[in-house]
């Protein structure tokens, strides 16, 4: 079931090159999206999870959902449980991945590539996810597949600070022979 997240914070973006998770499994694209408590998409995500559970497990869905929630196997999680990461405390988060490269665009819908540097951990995006129920030899869970993301607005980068700007440097075009000047 398709769900659109608007104005959510991006964490752990792996949108342009597939990678293995902890060195295991098939390489995938993916990201984590941080939603403040009270975000309108939370209602839609919960409805989607309930709907796909009913489709997959019928009358057993409520008891299975309760069990997989206790086992932390829902795609939507409480950010307080990831308090060691900046930006998660007091929020919810949803992680999504895909073996196929997601469609990534700028705010004007132009397609982005990794060299653009527009999307980064900490910026805000709109994202399209597909919520689905898994029931196989690996167990039961509710998962999210990432279909695409759109840059929405800048935010504080999670990577430890903003890059330097021209204002951070002095003009040394006219310097003594040793290449240094003393201020």
């Amino acid at each position: 079931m398709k769900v659109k997240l608007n104005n959510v914070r991006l964490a752990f973006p792996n949108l342009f090159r597939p990678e293995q998770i902890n060195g295991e499994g098939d390489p995938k694209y993916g990201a984590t999206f941080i939603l403040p408590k009270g975000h309108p998409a939370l209602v839609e995500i919960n409805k989607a999870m309930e709907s796909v559970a009913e489709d997959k497990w019928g009358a057993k869905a409520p008891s299975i959902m309760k069990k997989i929630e206790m086992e932390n196997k829902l795609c939507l999680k409480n950010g307080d449980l990831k308090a060691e990461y900046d930006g998660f405390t007091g929020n919810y988060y949803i992680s999504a991945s895909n073996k196929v490269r997601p469609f990534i665009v700028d705010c004007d819908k132009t397609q982005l590539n990794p060299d653009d540097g527009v999307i980064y951990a900490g910026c805000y995006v709109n994202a399209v996810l597909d919520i689905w129920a898994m029931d196989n030899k690996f167990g039961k869970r509710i998962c999210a597949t990432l279909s695409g993301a759109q840059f929405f607005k800048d935010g504080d980068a999670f990577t430890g600070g903003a890059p330097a700007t021209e204002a951070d440097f002095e003009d040394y075009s006219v310097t003594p022979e040793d290449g240094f000047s003393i201020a």
Side-chain angles (χ1 to χ4, degrees), residues 35-102:
L35 298 86
K37 292 182 178 173
H39 191 285
L42 292 170
V43 172
E44 295 304 314
I45 293 167
N46 282 306
K47 282 182 185 177
M49 290 191 308
E50 289 172 11
S51 177
V52 298
E54 285 177 15
D55 289 349
K56 182 65 103 179
W57 299 300
K60 295 179 184 179
S63 63
I64 292 173
M65 284 288 287
K66 201 175 277 188
K67 182 177 188 262
I68 62 178
E69 182 176 13
M70 289 178 60
E71 295 171 349
N72 201 25
K73 293 182 177 179
L74 294 177
C75 55
L76 181 65
K77 299 180 186 316
N78 185 337
D80 293 335
L81 302 176
K82 273 212 187 263
E84 73 270 21
Y85 294 113
D86 187 26
F88 282 76
T89 303
N91 297 300
Y92 287 98
Y93 70 96
I94 186 167
S95 296
S97 63
N98 198 334
K99 290 181 183 179
V100 177
R101 183 177 174 196

Side-chain angles (χ1 to χ4, degrees), residues 58-179:
K60 295 179 184 179
S63 63
I64 292 173
M65 284 288 287
K66 201 175 277 188
K67 182 177 188 262
I68 62 178
E69 182 176 13
M70 289 178 60
E71 295 171 349
N72 201 25
K73 293 182 177 179
L74 294 177
C75 55
L76 181 65
K77 299 180 186 316
N78 185 337
D80 293 335
L81 302 176
K82 273 212 187 263
E84 73 270 21
Y85 294 113
D86 187 26
F88 282 76
T89 303
N91 297 300
Y92 287 98
Y93 70 96
I94 186 167
S95 296
S97 63
N98 198 334
K99 290 181 183 179
V100 177
R101 183 177 174 196
F103 187 66
I104 309 299
V105 294
D106 203 344
C107 54
D108 65 359
K109 295 186 177 182
T110 57
Q111 197 162 357
L112 294 172
N113 66 61
D115 300 326
D116 293 328
V118 172
I119 291 192
Y120 55 91
C123 76
Y124 289 81
V125 298
N126 300 324
V128 177
L129 311 179
D130 186 35
I131 308 292
W132 55 281
M134 180 179 94
D135 189 348
N136 60 25
K137 67 181 181 180
F138 301 109
K140 293 176 175 63
R141 62 178 60 231
I142 303 293
C143 304
T145 298
L146 176 59
S147 297
Q150 177 186 35
F151 176 80
F152 183 70
K153 67 180 181 179
D154 286 312
D156 292 330
F158 286 140
T159 57
T165 66
E166 183 179 297
D168 293 319
F169 297 98
E170 302 297 325
D171 181 358
Y172 291 109
S173 59
V174 179
T175 61
E177 282 187 27
D178 65 3

